Amino acid sequence: MSKTISKRFAAYPRLDPLGIGQHVSVADLIDQTFLAYNGGRLREAAKLLVEKMLPNDGFIGLSLTGALTPAGLGKSCLIPLMKAGFVDWMVSTGANLYHDLHYGLDMALHQGSPFLDDVELHRDGVIRIYDVLFDYNVLLDTDAFVREVIQGAEFQRPMGTDEFHYLLGQAVWERGKTLKLTDSSVLGTAYECGIPIFTSSPGDSSIGMNVAAMALRDAKLMFDVNRDVNQTAAIVYEAKSTGHKSSVFILGGGSPKNFLLQTEPQIQEVLGIPEKGHDYFLQCTDARPDTGGLSGATPAEAVSWGKVDPDTLPDCVVCYTDSTIALPLLTAYCLSRAKPRPQKRLFYRRDEILDRVRARYLKTGTVTRILTAAKLPSGPAASA
């Protein structure tokens, strides 16, 4: 190869894949054979996690959408990541947390087929989530567990969803001990590790439905969504104000993705605190960007909102791959290539962290238009 051509390709490694052998590890498989297309993006995602997001005690927020826990990815992937200190806080759909309870209560879910007769399944009392099957009684028994737990005195007040999930996680963790289960529930593990879990739409799941039912019996439990918005922003501010990186790891998209990302506009645009955006953005999704939906919105688009630091945009990765494929591979890669980290146990610091962002807001924020730190153009639009 001539010197001119060699210089032209100096920044681009030669495609020279490993011949896959019988005993190749998952990490070596990703490093040496996932070289192009979305395989290449998955390799970039794995390296971003291990080389930039995890080092130096960076804060990692994980958002969870899609029916991942009923498919077993809570037990197989999320719990190992949480226990290794690789997840510091989470935003999840309520449905994922509800179906996680089935595993925490030792209820049976089964591998099935997406091509079964749903009229027949309904007649036989079988619930289907694509190719996952379980008895209708699993729903009834899980509902009863939730209602039993939230009758407790500790639930009879307004609270953020992180506190609600901590208390519910404590109950399922204690039930798991009675059942002699180990590492069976994401909620139970979050309780054990002090990892705050938020739900952006607390009424949009069977957990929320049961909370609503108990309200008809005059239960006093109410979700404090204002606290959730400020608490999540406070976690990100805690990371950035103490010199740490703030990273987002997005599985799917939807409301949890936005709730995870809106923390930066809350800090900058609403609270008036100077900030630059999340440092690293990693998303595994099948959503297209051209339909205009948030699920498919790219990190480049997020830069325009202040959600992602423009200086780190080249490091951001979107892998267009089903999370049920990507997450096990990324989990195996991280556990192989990175050492466990001390758990931050952010739940136990929730009041302290919130007080810090409140004090900064009351010092710099306004009720009238925010004097933002962002560089805005001058002219008529600036005074509109």
Side-chain angles (χ1 to χ4, degrees), residues 85-101:
F86 294 167
V87 176
D88 298 308
W89 63 287
M90 297 173 62
V91 181
S92 174
T93 59
N96 268 305
L97 302 178
Y98 175 74
H99 293 302
D100 168 70
L101 290 173

mmCIF file of all heavy atoms in Angstrom, residues 85-101:
data_model
loop_
_atom_site.group_PDB
_atom_site.id
_atom_site.type_symbol
_atom_site.label_atom_id
_atom_site.label_comp_id
_atom_site.label_asym_id
_atom_site.label_seq_id
_atom_site.Cartn_x
_atom_site.Cartn_y
_atom_site.Cartn_z
ATOM 1 N N GLY A 85 -22.326 -3.027 40.292
ATOM 2 C CA GLY A 85 -22.143 -1.584 40.414
ATOM 3 C C GLY A 85 -22.135 -0.869 39.079
ATOM 4 O O GLY A 85 -21.657 0.268 38.982
ATOM 5 N N PHE A 86 -22.691 -1.501 38.028
ATOM 6 C CA PHE A 86 -22.659 -0.925 36.685
ATOM 7 C C PHE A 86 -23.920 -0.124 36.361
ATOM 8 O O PHE A 86 -24.009 0.468 35.280
ATOM 9 C CB PHE A 86 -22.475 -2.036 35.638
ATOM 10 C CG PHE A 86 -21.139 -2.737 35.713
ATOM 11 C CD1 PHE A 86 -20.926 -3.921 35.028
ATOM 12 C CD2 PHE A 86 -20.100 -2.221 36.477
ATOM 13 C CE1 PHE A 86 -19.698 -4.573 35.082
ATOM 14 C CE2 PHE A 86 -18.866 -2.873 36.549
ATOM 15 C CZ PHE A 86 -18.659 -4.053 35.847
ATOM 16 N N VAL A 87 -24.904 -0.121 37.257
ATOM 17 C CA VAL A 87 -26.120 0.678 37.095
ATOM 18 C C VAL A 87 -26.325 1.457 38.391
ATOM 19 O O VAL A 87 -26.369 0.863 39.469
ATOM 20 C CB VAL A 87 -27.353 -0.209 36.812
ATOM 21 C CG1 VAL A 87 -28.621 0.641 36.754
ATOM 22 C CG2 VAL A 87 -27.179 -0.988 35.509
ATOM 23 N N ASP A 88 -26.453 2.777 38.276
ATOM 24 C CA ASP A 88 -26.560 3.611 39.475
ATOM 25 C C ASP A 88 -27.974 4.099 39.736
ATOM 26 O O ASP A 88 -28.342 4.344 40.882
ATOM 27 C CB ASP A 88 -25.618 4.813 39.357
ATOM 28 C CG ASP A 88 -24.173 4.381 39.247
ATOM 29 O OD1 ASP A 88 -23.727 3.597 40.098
ATOM 30 O OD2 ASP A 88 -23.494 4.801 38.286
ATOM 31 N N TRP A 89 -28.770 4.275 38.694
ATOM 32 C CA TRP A 89 -30.173 4.644 38.854
ATOM 33 C C TRP A 89 -30.919 4.235 37.600
ATOM 34 O O TRP A 89 -30.303 4.019 36.540
ATOM 35 C CB TRP A 89 -30.339 6.128 39.176
ATOM 36 C CG TRP A 89 -29.882 7.112 38.126
ATOM 37 C CD1 TRP A 89 -28.606 7.428 37.786
ATOM 38 C CD2 TRP A 89 -30.725 7.930 37.306
ATOM 39 N NE1 TRP A 89 -28.583 8.385 36.809
ATOM 40 C CE2 TRP A 89 -29.860 8.727 36.500
ATOM 41 C CE3 TRP A 89 -32.109 8.090 37.179
ATOM 42 C CZ2 TRP A 89 -30.350 9.649 35.570
ATOM 43 C CZ3 TRP A 89 -32.595 9.007 36.259
ATOM 44 C CH2 TRP A 89 -31.721 9.776 35.466
ATOM 45 N N MET A 90 -32.240 4.095 37.706
ATOM 46 C CA MET A 90 -33.020 3.541 36.605
ATOM 47 C C MET A 90 -34.339 4.281 36.437
ATOM 48 O O MET A 90 -34.900 4.805 37.400
ATOM 49 C CB MET A 90 -33.324 2.053 36.859
ATOM 50 C CG MET A 90 -32.112 1.156 36.924
ATOM 51 S SD MET A 90 -32.520 -0.548 37.424
ATOM 52 C CE MET A 90 -33.600 -1.053 36.084
ATOM 53 N N VAL A 91 -34.812 4.276 35.186
ATOM 54 C CA VAL A 91 -36.182 4.682 34.867
ATOM 55 C C VAL A 91 -36.788 3.535 34.067
ATOM 56 O O VAL A 91 -36.226 3.119 33.054
ATOM 57 C CB VAL A 91 -36.231 5.981 34.042
ATOM 58 C CG1 VAL A 91 -37.689 6.369 33.774
ATOM 59 C CG2 VAL A 91 -35.496 7.115 34.733
ATOM 60 N N SER A 92 -37.918 3.022 34.514
ATOM 61 C CA SER A 92 -38.518 1.850 33.881
ATOM 62 C C SER A 92 -40.011 2.056 33.660
ATOM 63 O O SER A 92 -40.660 2.816 34.385
ATOM 64 C CB SER A 92 -38.306 0.609 34.768
ATOM 65 O OG SER A 92 -38.976 -0.517 34.258
ATOM 66 N N THR A 93 -40.535 1.387 32.665
ATOM 67 C CA THR A 93 -41.985 1.280 32.594
ATOM 68 C C THR A 93 -42.480 0.513 33.810
ATOM 69 O O THR A 93 -41.789 -0.365 34.334
ATOM 70 C CB THR A 93 -42.429 0.529 31.329
ATOM 71 O OG1 THR A 93 -41.841 -0.788 31.334
ATOM 72 C CG2 THR A 93 -42.018 1.272 30.061
ATOM 73 N N GLY A 94 -43.688 0.825 34.249
ATOM 74 C CA GLY A 94 -44.272 0.079 35.358
ATOM 75 C C GLY A 94 -44.479 -1.374 35.004
ATOM 76 O O GLY A 94 -44.376 -2.259 35.866
ATOM 77 N N ALA A 95 -44.749 -1.654 33.725
ATOM 78 C CA ALA A 95 -44.994 -3.029 33.307
ATOM 79 C C ALA A 95 -43.775 -3.914 33.554
ATOM 80 O O ALA A 95 -43.902 -5.062 33.998
ATOM 81 C CB ALA A 95 -45.389 -3.069 31.829
ATOM 82 N N ASN A 96 -42.585 -3.411 33.253
ATOM 83 C CA ASN A 96 -41.380 -4.214 33.503
ATOM 84 C C ASN A 96 -41.217 -4.531 34.977
ATOM 85 O O ASN A 96 -40.786 -5.628 35.341
ATOM 86 C CB ASN A 96 -40.147 -3.478 32.973
ATOM 87 C CG ASN A 96 -39.806 -3.864 31.548
ATOM 88 O OD1 ASN A 96 -39.628 -5.035 31.236
ATOM 89 N ND2 ASN A 96 -39.721 -2.873 30.676
ATOM 90 N N LEU A 97 -41.571 -3.593 35.829
ATOM 91 C CA LEU A 97 -41.444 -3.828 37.274
ATOM 92 C C LEU A 97 -42.534 -4.765 37.778
ATOM 93 O O LEU A 97 -42.294 -5.586 38.669
ATOM 94 C CB LEU A 97 -41.477 -2.494 38.020
ATOM 95 C CG LEU A 97 -40.389 -1.502 37.582
ATOM 96 C CD1 LEU A 97 -40.528 -0.195 38.344
ATOM 97 C CD2 LEU A 97 -38.994 -2.095 37.769
ATOM 98 N N TYR A 98 -43.719 -4.666 37.203
ATOM 99 C CA TYR A 98 -44.808 -5.569 37.578
ATOM 100 C C TYR A 98 -44.457 -7.012 37.211
ATOM 101 O O TYR A 98 -44.578 -7.922 38.040
ATOM 102 C CB TYR A 98 -46.090 -5.137 36.867
ATOM 103 C CG TYR A 98 -47.267 -6.057 37.089
ATOM 104 C CD1 TYR A 98 -47.942 -6.084 38.303
ATOM 105 C CD2 TYR A 98 -47.715 -6.897 36.068
ATOM 106 C CE1 TYR A 98 -49.033 -6.918 38.501
ATOM 107 C CE2 TYR A 98 -48.807 -7.730 36.252
ATOM 108 C CZ TYR A 98 -49.473 -7.745 37.471
ATOM 109 O OH TYR A 98 -50.548 -8.571 37.657
ATOM 110 N N HIS A 99 -44.000 -7.219 35.975
ATOM 111 C CA HIS A 99 -43.671 -8.583 35.563
ATOM 112 C C HIS A 99 -42.419 -9.101 36.266
ATOM 113 O O HIS A 99 -42.247 -10.314 36.424
ATOM 114 C CB HIS A 99 -43.509 -8.653 34.039
ATOM 115 C CG HIS A 99 -44.789 -8.404 33.298
ATOM 116 N ND1 HIS A 99 -45.915 -9.178 33.494
ATOM 117 C CD2 HIS A 99 -45.128 -7.472 32.381
ATOM 118 C CE1 HIS A 99 -46.892 -8.729 32.719
ATOM 119 N NE2 HIS A 99 -46.446 -7.691 32.046
ATOM 120 N N ASP A 100 -41.558 -8.197 36.705
ATOM 121 C CA ASP A 100 -40.419 -8.600 37.525
ATOM 122 C C ASP A 100 -40.891 -9.258 38.825
ATOM 123 O O ASP A 100 -40.246 -10.178 39.345
ATOM 124 C CB ASP A 100 -39.557 -7.370 37.841
ATOM 125 C CG ASP A 100 -38.518 -7.630 38.907
ATOM 126 O OD1 ASP A 100 -37.558 -8.364 38.628
ATOM 127 O OD2 ASP A 100 -38.676 -7.101 40.037
ATOM 128 N N LEU A 101 -42.029 -8.790 39.354
ATOM 129 C CA LEU A 101 -42.550 -9.359 40.600
ATOM 130 C C LEU A 101 -42.865 -10.850 40.451
ATOM 131 O O LEU A 101 -42.747 -11.605 41.419
ATOM 132 C CB LEU A 101 -43.809 -8.609 41.034
ATOM 133 C CG LEU A 101 -43.619 -7.175 41.524
ATOM 134 C CD1 LEU A 101 -44.971 -6.503 41.749
ATOM 135 C CD2 LEU A 101 -42.790 -7.142 42.801
#
